[in-house]
Amino acid sequence: MEYAEFRRSLNKEVMPVYLFEGEEVYLFETGLKAITDLCVTSPEINAVTLQGDGLTPEALLPLVSALPFLSQKRIVAVRDYYPKSSVLSGALSPLMRGDFSDTVFVIMNQKSCDALKKIKTVRVVSCGRQDAATLSKWAIKRAESGGKKLSVTAANLLVTYTLSDMIKIANEVDKLICYVGDADEITEADIENAVTKDSEYKIYELTDSIGKKNYEKALKILNDMIYGGEQPQKLLSNVYFYMRRLFDVAISDKPDSDLSKIFGVKEFAIKKAREQVKMFKLKKLKKTVDALADYDYMAKSGGLDFGSALNLAIFNLTTD
């Protein structure tokens, strides 16, 4: 089920096992909090969160079988837990059947786990990236809860700068509420002045300026990143992988959703890449990627310092 449906379902019933799955970690946390607020008194006593790596049934079962203390239920949450089918049908079968009615077991996984999803008692909640329109509305409501107005245009700009990351949007809205002080509204100018742009967005902005042949702006963005503490080695690597992604997107016929999983980035980033590749000729992209790979190799092997390699990379990008 989708996350919004999960929130509505809590009004009717609470399942024994939940699997929050997807890349939007913010939804994991708010989902876990919603269950905890509904079912648990004194979470410091009746709620525990574990890491799934190396977690054995012998360590888990005593926690889920324990009785709550002066509370309706206990919560046992596990991050990044990918048990095998044999474990679920064996030692953990009582938990998967829902035998421990006094405990809600919550699993929070960024990657898929087919073994868990095949079990009928496991309520799977999709926590994928939300679309830009949904995030803009959410940012506006969060600003309103802090007593500030936020226009759709300003909210869209905020979503763009944070690359649709809900944790970053939440943090930036909270920061902006304090930043504007007694003002009634958070403006686009406030966002331009106060919001920390996602590093991926900065690389997008750099290459976008180059694609539009606005080299003065591109150099300013590059200098701002360097003076802001970004190391030439990291910048060179980021520019190389970004241009490589542009080339791969240009030659691929796969849908954006598939490419986002392949590259491990948000779907929003793939959409932006599709817009950008139109500004570059395919041959130019291929030559640039090859040149960047050479500069990266020369720097790592000691043939060039990373500052010089980065300068050569930018020079290659700005020449036809």
PDB file of all heavy atoms in Angstrom, residues 10-30:
ATOM      1  N   LEU A  10      -4.451   3.122   9.863  1.00  0.00           N
ATOM      2  CA  LEU A  10      -4.207   3.053  11.308  1.00  0.00           C
ATOM      3  C   LEU A  10      -5.462   3.367  12.115  1.00  0.00           C
ATOM      4  O   LEU A  10      -5.573   2.965  13.278  1.00  0.00           O
ATOM      5  CB  LEU A  10      -3.080   4.010  11.701  1.00  0.00           C
ATOM      6  CG  LEU A  10      -1.656   3.621  11.255  1.00  0.00           C
ATOM      7  CD1 LEU A  10      -0.664   4.681  11.702  1.00  0.00           C
ATOM      8  CD2 LEU A  10      -1.262   2.252  11.793  1.00  0.00           C
ATOM      9  N   ASN A  11      -6.392   4.086  11.507  1.00  0.00           N
ATOM     10  CA  ASN A  11      -7.644   4.398  12.203  1.00  0.00           C
ATOM     11  C   ASN A  11      -8.532   3.161  12.364  1.00  0.00           C
ATOM     12  O   ASN A  11      -9.438   3.147  13.202  1.00  0.00           O
ATOM     13  CB  ASN A  11      -8.411   5.473  11.436  1.00  0.00           C
ATOM     14  CG  ASN A  11      -7.662   6.790  11.384  1.00  0.00           C
ATOM     15  OD1 ASN A  11      -7.020   7.171  12.356  1.00  0.00           O
ATOM     16  ND2 ASN A  11      -7.746   7.490  10.267  1.00  0.00           N
ATOM     17  N   LYS A  12      -8.258   2.127  11.554  1.00  0.00           N
ATOM     18  CA  LYS A  12      -9.086   0.924  11.578  1.00  0.00           C
ATOM     19  C   LYS A  12      -8.411  -0.236  12.316  1.00  0.00           C
ATOM     20  O   LYS A  12      -9.044  -0.934  13.098  1.00  0.00           O
ATOM     21  CB  LYS A  12      -9.416   0.502  10.144  1.00  0.00           C
ATOM     22  CG  LYS A  12     -10.184   1.553   9.355  1.00  0.00           C
ATOM     23  CD  LYS A  12     -10.422   1.078   7.924  1.00  0.00           C
ATOM     24  CE  LYS A  12     -11.170   2.116   7.117  1.00  0.00           C
ATOM     25  NZ  LYS A  12     -11.366   1.696   5.705  1.00  0.00           N
ATOM     26  N   GLU A  13      -7.114  -0.450  12.021  1.00  0.00           N
ATOM     27  CA  GLU A  13      -6.417  -1.576  12.635  1.00  0.00           C
ATOM     28  C   GLU A  13      -4.911  -1.342  12.607  1.00  0.00           C
ATOM     29  O   GLU A  13      -4.403  -0.575  11.795  1.00  0.00           O
ATOM     30  CB  GLU A  13      -6.738  -2.882  11.896  1.00  0.00           C
ATOM     31  CG  GLU A  13      -6.268  -2.895  10.441  1.00  0.00           C
ATOM     32  CD  GLU A  13      -6.486  -4.237   9.767  1.00  0.00           C
ATOM     33  OE1 GLU A  13      -6.699  -5.230  10.481  1.00  0.00           O
ATOM     34  OE2 GLU A  13      -6.415  -4.282   8.529  1.00  0.00           O
ATOM     35  N   VAL A  14      -4.225  -2.032  13.508  1.00  0.00           N
ATOM     36  CA  VAL A  14      -2.769  -2.029  13.532  1.00  0.00           C
ATOM     37  C   VAL A  14      -2.302  -3.464  13.292  1.00  0.00           C
ATOM     38  O   VAL A  14      -2.689  -4.378  14.026  1.00  0.00           O
ATOM     39  CB  VAL A  14      -2.221  -1.511  14.879  1.00  0.00           C
ATOM     40  CG1 VAL A  14      -0.698  -1.598  14.893  1.00  0.00           C
ATOM     41  CG2 VAL A  14      -2.673  -0.083  15.126  1.00  0.00           C
ATOM     42  N   MET A  15      -1.513  -3.644  12.245  1.00  0.00           N
ATOM     43  CA  MET A  15      -1.047  -4.983  11.882  1.00  0.00           C
ATOM     44  C   MET A  15       0.115  -5.410  12.780  1.00  0.00           C
ATOM     45  O   MET A  15       0.821  -4.574  13.356  1.00  0.00           O
ATOM     46  CB  MET A  15      -0.595  -4.984  10.424  1.00  0.00           C
ATOM     47  CG  MET A  15      -1.707  -4.672   9.437  1.00  0.00           C
ATOM     48  SD  MET A  15      -2.975  -5.960   9.402  1.00  0.00           S
ATOM     49  CE  MET A  15      -2.072  -7.278   8.582  1.00  0.00           C
ATOM     50  N   PRO A  16       0.348  -6.739  12.912  1.00  0.00           N
ATOM     51  CA  PRO A  16       1.450  -7.217  13.761  1.00  0.00           C
ATOM     52  C   PRO A  16       2.836  -6.930  13.171  1.00  0.00           C
ATOM     53  O   PRO A  16       3.805  -6.763  13.908  1.00  0.00           O
ATOM     54  CB  PRO A  16       1.202  -8.722  13.861  1.00  0.00           C
ATOM     55  CG  PRO A  16       0.366  -9.055  12.663  1.00  0.00           C
ATOM     56  CD  PRO A  16      -0.473  -7.854  12.383  1.00  0.00           C
ATOM     57  N   VAL A  17       2.926  -6.888  11.822  1.00  0.00           N
ATOM     58  CA  VAL A  17       4.221  -6.667  11.170  1.00  0.00           C
ATOM     59  C   VAL A  17       4.055  -5.661  10.033  1.00  0.00           C
ATOM     60  O   VAL A  17       3.161  -5.797   9.194  1.00  0.00           O
ATOM     61  CB  VAL A  17       4.816  -7.982  10.601  1.00  0.00           C
ATOM     62  CG1 VAL A  17       6.199  -7.724  10.006  1.00  0.00           C
ATOM     63  CG2 VAL A  17       4.893  -9.061  11.670  1.00  0.00           C
ATOM     64  N   TYR A  18       4.941  -4.659  10.021  1.00  0.00           N
ATOM     65  CA  TYR A  18       4.968  -3.672   8.931  1.00  0.00           C
ATOM     66  C   TYR A  18       6.338  -3.699   8.260  1.00  0.00           C
ATOM     67  O   TYR A  18       7.375  -3.811   8.936  1.00  0.00           O
ATOM     68  CB  TYR A  18       4.716  -2.258   9.468  1.00  0.00           C
ATOM     69  CG  TYR A  18       3.277  -1.977   9.814  1.00  0.00           C
ATOM     70  CD1 TYR A  18       2.822  -2.153  11.118  1.00  0.00           C
ATOM     71  CD2 TYR A  18       2.370  -1.529   8.854  1.00  0.00           C
ATOM     72  CE1 TYR A  18       1.505  -1.898  11.458  1.00  0.00           C
ATOM     73  CE2 TYR A  18       1.043  -1.277   9.182  1.00  0.00           C
ATOM     74  CZ  TYR A  18       0.621  -1.455  10.480  1.00  0.00           C
ATOM     75  OH  TYR A  18      -0.698  -1.202  10.800  1.00  0.00           O
ATOM     76  N   LEU A  19       6.315  -3.585   6.946  1.00  0.00           N
ATOM     77  CA  LEU A  19       7.547  -3.443   6.171  1.00  0.00           C
ATOM     78  C   LEU A  19       7.485  -2.123   5.412  1.00  0.00           C
ATOM     79  O   LEU A  19       6.730  -1.980   4.461  1.00  0.00           O
ATOM     80  CB  LEU A  19       7.711  -4.610   5.191  1.00  0.00           C
ATOM     81  CG  LEU A  19       8.822  -4.457   4.142  1.00  0.00           C
ATOM     82  CD1 LEU A  19      10.192  -4.301   4.799  1.00  0.00           C
ATOM     83  CD2 LEU A  19       8.816  -5.648   3.173  1.00  0.00           C
ATOM     84  N   PHE A  20       8.256  -1.136   5.879  1.00  0.00           N
ATOM     85  CA  PHE A  20       8.391   0.124   5.151  1.00  0.00           C
ATOM     86  C   PHE A  20       9.538  -0.045   4.163  1.00  0.00           C
ATOM     87  O   PHE A  20      10.669  -0.325   4.565  1.00  0.00           O
ATOM     88  CB  PHE A  20       8.689   1.277   6.109  1.00  0.00           C
ATOM     89  CG  PHE A  20       7.556   1.608   7.037  1.00  0.00           C
ATOM     90  CD1 PHE A  20       7.603   1.217   8.376  1.00  0.00           C
ATOM     91  CD2 PHE A  20       6.449   2.286   6.578  1.00  0.00           C
ATOM     92  CE1 PHE A  20       6.550   1.515   9.238  1.00  0.00           C
ATOM     93  CE2 PHE A  20       5.386   2.586   7.429  1.00  0.00           C
ATOM     94  CZ  PHE A  20       5.447   2.197   8.757  1.00  0.00           C
ATOM     95  N   GLU A  21       9.232   0.143   2.882  1.00  0.00           N
ATOM     96  CA  GLU A  21      10.228  -0.155   1.854  1.00  0.00           C
ATOM     97  C   GLU A  21      10.320   0.972   0.836  1.00  0.00           C
ATOM     98  O   GLU A  21       9.310   1.429   0.311  1.00  0.00           O
ATOM     99  CB  GLU A  21       9.858  -1.472   1.155  1.00  0.00           C
ATOM    100  CG  GLU A  21      10.896  -1.957   0.173  1.00  0.00           C
ATOM    101  CD  GLU A  21      10.523  -3.303  -0.423  1.00  0.00           C
ATOM    102  OE1 GLU A  21      10.892  -4.335   0.162  1.00  0.00           O
ATOM    103  OE2 GLU A  21       9.844  -3.324  -1.473  1.00  0.00           O
ATOM    104  N   GLY A  22      11.520   1.437   0.571  1.00  0.00           N
ATOM    105  CA  GLY A  22      11.727   2.494  -0.419  1.00  0.00           C
ATOM    106  C   GLY A  22      12.889   3.388  -0.031  1.00  0.00           C
ATOM    107  O   GLY A  22      13.559   3.175   0.985  1.00  0.00           O
ATOM    108  N   GLU A  23      13.121   4.427  -0.824  1.00  0.00           N
ATOM    109  CA  GLU A  23      14.295   5.278  -0.611  1.00  0.00           C
ATOM    110  C   GLU A  23      14.004   6.505   0.248  1.00  0.00           C
ATOM    111  O   GLU A  23      14.933   7.205   0.654  1.00  0.00           O
ATOM    112  CB  GLU A  23      14.867   5.740  -1.959  1.00  0.00           C
ATOM    113  CG  GLU A  23      13.870   6.479  -2.830  1.00  0.00           C
ATOM    114  CD  GLU A  23      14.469   6.860  -4.167  1.00  0.00           C
ATOM    115  OE1 GLU A  23      15.678   7.153  -4.222  1.00  0.00           O
ATOM    116  OE2 GLU A  23      13.723   6.880  -5.162  1.00  0.00           O
ATOM    117  N   GLU A  24      12.721   6.768   0.552  1.00  0.00           N
ATOM    118  CA  GLU A  24      12.391   7.970   1.322  1.00  0.00           C
ATOM    119  C   GLU A  24      12.403   7.651   2.804  1.00  0.00           C
ATOM    120  O   GLU A  24      11.400   7.259   3.399  1.00  0.00           O
ATOM    121  CB  GLU A  24      11.028   8.525   0.890  1.00  0.00           C
ATOM    122  CG  GLU A  24      10.718   9.901   1.448  1.00  0.00           C
ATOM    123  CD  GLU A  24      11.841  10.888   1.245  1.00  0.00           C
ATOM    124  OE1 GLU A  24      11.936  11.472   0.160  1.00  0.00           O
ATOM    125  OE2 GLU A  24      12.634  11.063   2.205  1.00  0.00           O
ATOM    126  N   VAL A  25      13.580   7.827   3.409  1.00  0.00           N
ATOM    127  CA  VAL A  25      13.785   7.487   4.817  1.00  0.00           C
ATOM    128  C   VAL A  25      12.883   8.304   5.732  1.00  0.00           C
ATOM    129  O   VAL A  25      12.472   7.832   6.803  1.00  0.00           O
ATOM    130  CB  VAL A  25      15.268   7.676   5.191  1.00  0.00           C
ATOM    131  CG1 VAL A  25      15.506   7.395   6.669  1.00  0.00           C
ATOM    132  CG2 VAL A  25      16.151   6.762   4.342  1.00  0.00           C
ATOM    133  N   TYR A  26      12.567   9.516   5.322  1.00  0.00           N
ATOM    134  CA  TYR A  26      11.710  10.378   6.140  1.00  0.00           C
ATOM    135  C   TYR A  26      10.375   9.696   6.427  1.00  0.00           C
ATOM    136  O   TYR A  26       9.838   9.802   7.541  1.00  0.00           O
ATOM    137  CB  TYR A  26      11.470  11.708   5.426  1.00  0.00           C
ATOM    138  CG  TYR A  26      10.650  12.697   6.220  1.00  0.00           C
ATOM    139  CD1 TYR A  26      11.251  13.549   7.139  1.00  0.00           C
ATOM    140  CD2 TYR A  26       9.265  12.785   6.059  1.00  0.00           C
ATOM    141  CE1 TYR A  26      10.505  14.455   7.877  1.00  0.00           C
ATOM    142  CE2 TYR A  26       8.508  13.685   6.797  1.00  0.00           C
ATOM    143  CZ  TYR A  26       9.138  14.514   7.699  1.00  0.00           C
ATOM    144  OH  TYR A  26       8.401  15.403   8.437  1.00  0.00           O
ATOM    145  N   LEU A  27       9.836   8.974   5.451  1.00  0.00           N
ATOM    146  CA  LEU A  27       8.562   8.288   5.632  1.00  0.00           C
ATOM    147  C   LEU A  27       8.696   7.119   6.610  1.00  0.00           C
ATOM    148  O   LEU A  27       7.738   6.768   7.303  1.00  0.00           O
ATOM    149  CB  LEU A  27       8.015   7.808   4.289  1.00  0.00           C
ATOM    150  CG  LEU A  27       7.668   8.912   3.280  1.00  0.00           C
ATOM    151  CD1 LEU A  27       7.111   8.306   1.996  1.00  0.00           C
ATOM    152  CD2 LEU A  27       6.671   9.904   3.870  1.00  0.00           C
ATOM    153  N   PHE A  28       9.887   6.502   6.657  1.00  0.00           N
ATOM    154  CA  PHE A  28      10.113   5.460   7.656  1.00  0.00           C
ATOM    155  C   PHE A  28       9.896   6.033   9.062  1.00  0.00           C
ATOM    156  O   PHE A  28       9.200   5.452   9.904  1.00  0.00           O
ATOM    157  CB  PHE A  28      11.550   4.928   7.594  1.00  0.00           C
ATOM    158  CG  PHE A  28      11.934   4.206   6.338  1.00  0.00           C
ATOM    159  CD1 PHE A  28      13.237   3.793   6.147  1.00  0.00           C
ATOM    160  CD2 PHE A  28      11.010   3.930   5.350  1.00  0.00           C
ATOM    161  CE1 PHE A  28      13.623   3.117   5.009  1.00  0.00           C
ATOM    162  CE2 PHE A  28      11.375   3.258   4.187  1.00  0.00           C
ATOM    163  CZ  PHE A  28      12.692   2.850   4.027  1.00  0.00           C
ATOM    164  N   GLU A  29      10.547   7.175   9.280  1.00  0.00           N
ATOM    165  CA  GLU A  29      10.533   7.764  10.620  1.00  0.00           C
ATOM    166  C   GLU A  29       9.138   8.242  11.021  1.00  0.00           C
ATOM    167  O   GLU A  29       8.702   8.029  12.157  1.00  0.00           O
ATOM    168  CB  GLU A  29      11.526   8.928  10.684  1.00  0.00           C
ATOM    169  CG  GLU A  29      12.956   8.552  10.327  1.00  0.00           C
ATOM    170  CD  GLU A  29      13.523   7.462  11.215  1.00  0.00           C
ATOM    171  OE1 GLU A  29      13.111   7.365  12.390  1.00  0.00           O
ATOM    172  OE2 GLU A  29      14.388   6.693  10.738  1.00  0.00           O
ATOM    173  N   THR A  30       8.436   8.896  10.084  1.00  0.00           N
ATOM    174  CA  THR A  30       7.102   9.391  10.423  1.00  0.00           C
ATOM    175  C   THR A  30       6.113   8.232  10.571  1.00  0.00           C
ATOM    176  O   THR A  30       5.189   8.298  11.392  1.00  0.00           O
ATOM    177  CB  THR A  30       6.596  10.381   9.360  1.00  0.00           C
ATOM    178  OG1 THR A  30       6.623   9.771   8.063  1.00  0.00           O
ATOM    179  CG2 THR A  30       7.459  11.633   9.329  1.00  0.00           C
TER     180      THR A  30
END
